[in-house]
Amino acid sequence: MYKIEVGFKDICEAYTRIKPYVVKTPLIRSDKMSELFGSDVWFKLENMQPIGAYKLRGAMNNMLAMSKEDLARGVVAASAGNHSQAVAYAARMQGASAIVCVPESTPMNKRESAVRYGAELVVYGADYAAAEEKAHEIEREQGRKFVHAYESSETVAGQGTVALEVLLENNDFDAIIVPTGGGGLLCGVAIAAKAMKPEIEVYGLQTDTSAPWKKSFAEKRLNNDCPFIPSIADGLEGEITWPNVELALTCVDGIIVVSEESTKEGIKWMAKNHHLMIEGASATCIAALLEGHEELKGKKVLCIITGGNIDLDKFCKVCEAEYPERD
């Protein structure tokens, strides 16, 4: 079985490689959340990347590591949303053609962005697994290079540059919380963070509507036997694979599961208190703090705000809803 091998050196090399193409995103302290939660809370705003999400880091690292021959043949990717935009954008930067396969559930704004950046869009299947199968079919038929959203060393190293960038600026954090879908960002962040500050704690975040990481991490084996219900955090939905779980077991401290309702509340909280429009995956960070998870109490906490690509109609509905008052 494929094994992901990524070290701190790989992340440092990725950071140097992608630096001209990505934004050094803001790192801000949230006075309001720090006061509400009783900890020192900071946000890394990856929603400020050109495509509105951190995924550009991994896609760009993949593209820059390719040979001229691979680039000439073009690339293909599968995604539930943000990775499709990232691959489209990175391919355009390198003058390569791109096909991105997305499931039918992919929000329209993410589809439109991929096309705007120059990719050919293929909408296929009900979920990510079906879209990925279609992408591999295109890979075989056309000889394109497949760019994986999370299960590749290049992707994990690229995503890990988020933590490297933060800790070069401020190395005083006690814990990092990371929205977790496939696990590429979680593993990359943990590898970089532990190399720079071994005692730091790193936690993955999922919603209770789709939480295979909780069981898999606790049991130290792949376990996708859990409900998979559509979530406001659509970027975190779906089954996971063993290579990323295996890697996470070497560097991640735990998995925190938050409620769907708290995640929606987190979207509204961020809009109200920081005037930022974030997607559901990002809002799991806010949810973990609103729910008062003990792992984070009394610590200096870094929240990775992974993206801001949420459909406007969905955003408005979430913000119109009422949520419990927080003391």
Side-chain angles (χ1 to χ4, degrees), residues 54-55 150 176-190 202-214 216-217 228 231 233-241 244-245 248 252-258 279-285 304-306:
Y54 78 96
K55 288 281 191 180
Y150 54 87
I176 306 176
I177 50 177
V178 187
T180 304
L185 178 64
L186 175 64
C187 292
V189 163
V202 180
Y203 297 95
L205 301 171
Q206 291 205 298
T207 67
D208 55 8
T209 58
S210 182
W213 272 97
K214 186 71 173 178
S216 297
F217 194 85
F228 291 102
S231 170
D234 51 82
L236 307 185
E237 292 175 8
E239 295 187 353
I240 59 176
T241 57
N244 289 83
V245 175
V252 173
D253 293 278
I255 306 296
I256 296 172
V257 176
V258 299
E279 59 194 59
S282 298
T284 58
C285 291
I304 308 295
I305 304 301
T306 49

Side-chain angles (χ1 to χ4, degrees), residues 21-323:
Y21 301 94
V22 301
V23 170
K24 182 180 182 295
T25 53
L27 175 64
I28 66 168
R29 184 178 190 272
S30 175
D31 295 339
K32 292 177 181 178
M33 183 56 80
S34 297
E35 182 181 351
L36 179 64
F37 185 61
S39 293
D40 191 6
V41 179
W42 292 66
F43 299 143
K44 176 63 168 171
L45 301 179
E46 284 294 290
N47 55 308
M48 299 304 217
Q49 288 294 346
I51 66 157
Y54 78 96
K55 288 281 191 180
L56 181 59
R57 295 174 182 268
M60 205 75 239
N61 192 46
N62 271 280
M63 218 71 65
L64 293 169
M66 286 181 194
S67 66
K68 290 181 179 178
E69 292 74 20
D70 283 338
L71 287 172
R73 284 192 292 269
V75 298
V76 62
S79 172
N82 284 330
H83 182 61
S84 63
Q85 300 177 76
V87 169
Y89 185 95
R92 187 177 72 175
M93 290 293 100
Q94 296 304 302
S97 72
I99 298 175
V100 293
C101 301
V102 301
E104 293 159 1
S105 58
T106 301
M108 288 303 300
N109 64 324
K110 295 180 181 180
R111 299 188 198 189
E112 291 164 359
S113 292
V115 173
R116 187 169 67 251
Y117 295 135
E120 178 185 337
L121 184 73
V122 176
V123 181
Y124 186 87
D127 53 24
Y128 172 81
E132 183 179 3
E133 186 177 328
K134 183 65 175 178
H136 282 304
E137 181 185 314
I138 293 169
E139 176 191 20
R140 291 188 296 270
E141 291 175 351
Q142 299 187 20
R144 290 175 176 267
K145 183 79 170 178
F146 182 78
V147 182
H148 207 292
Y150 54 87
E151 195 182 289
S152 82
S153 298
E154 292 81 8
T155 299
V156 172
Q159 316 303 32
T161 64
V162 175
L164 176 61
E165 191 170 280
V166 168
L167 296 177
L168 285 173
E169 182 176 343
N170 186 331
N171 195 30
D172 197 28
F173 290 100
D174 301 309
I176 306 176
I177 50 177
V178 187
T180 304
L185 178 64
L186 175 64
C187 292
V189 163
I191 292 165
K194 299 282 187 177
M196 298 178 77
K197 188 177 181 181
E199 68 273 22
I200 202 167
E201 297 171 358
V202 180
Y203 297 95
L205 301 171
Q206 291 205 298
T207 67
D208 55 8
T209 58
S210 182
W213 272 97
K214 186 71 173 178
K215 281 187 173 183
S216 297
F217 194 85
E219 297 171 8
K220 295 181 172 54
R221 66 183 183 91
L222 183 64
N223 187 345
N224 281 305
D225 184 18
C226 66
F228 291 102
I229 302 167
S231 170
I232 191 69
D234 51 82
L236 307 185
E237 292 175 8
E239 295 187 353
I240 59 176
T241 57
W242 173 245
N244 289 83
V245 175
E246 182 181 32
L247 184 57
L249 288 168
T250 69
C251 55
V252 173
D253 293 278
I255 306 296
I256 296 172
V257 176
V258 299
S259 75
E260 181 76 3
E261 192 70 5
S262 294
T263 303
K264 291 177 180 177
E265 183 183 354
I267 293 173
K268 183 174 181 176
W269 188 94
M270 200 69 159
K272 179 181 177 181
N273 292 283
H274 286 278
H275 316 295
L276 291 171
M277 185 175 174
I278 63 171
E279 59 194 59
S282 298
T284 58
C285 291
I286 314 302
L289 298 169
L290 292 175
E291 290 180 359
H293 285 270
E294 288 298 322
E295 298 97 322
L296 309 175
K297 287 283 188 180
K299 296 175 180 175
K300 184 170 181 177
V301 181
L302 172 65
C303 304
I304 308 295
I305 304 301
T306 49
N309 297 317
I310 182 172
D311 275 336
L312 183 58
D313 288 348
K314 186 182 291 187
F315 175 76
C316 291
K317 286 178 182 177
V318 167
C319 289
E320 286 169 358
E322 295 296 326
Y323 304 95

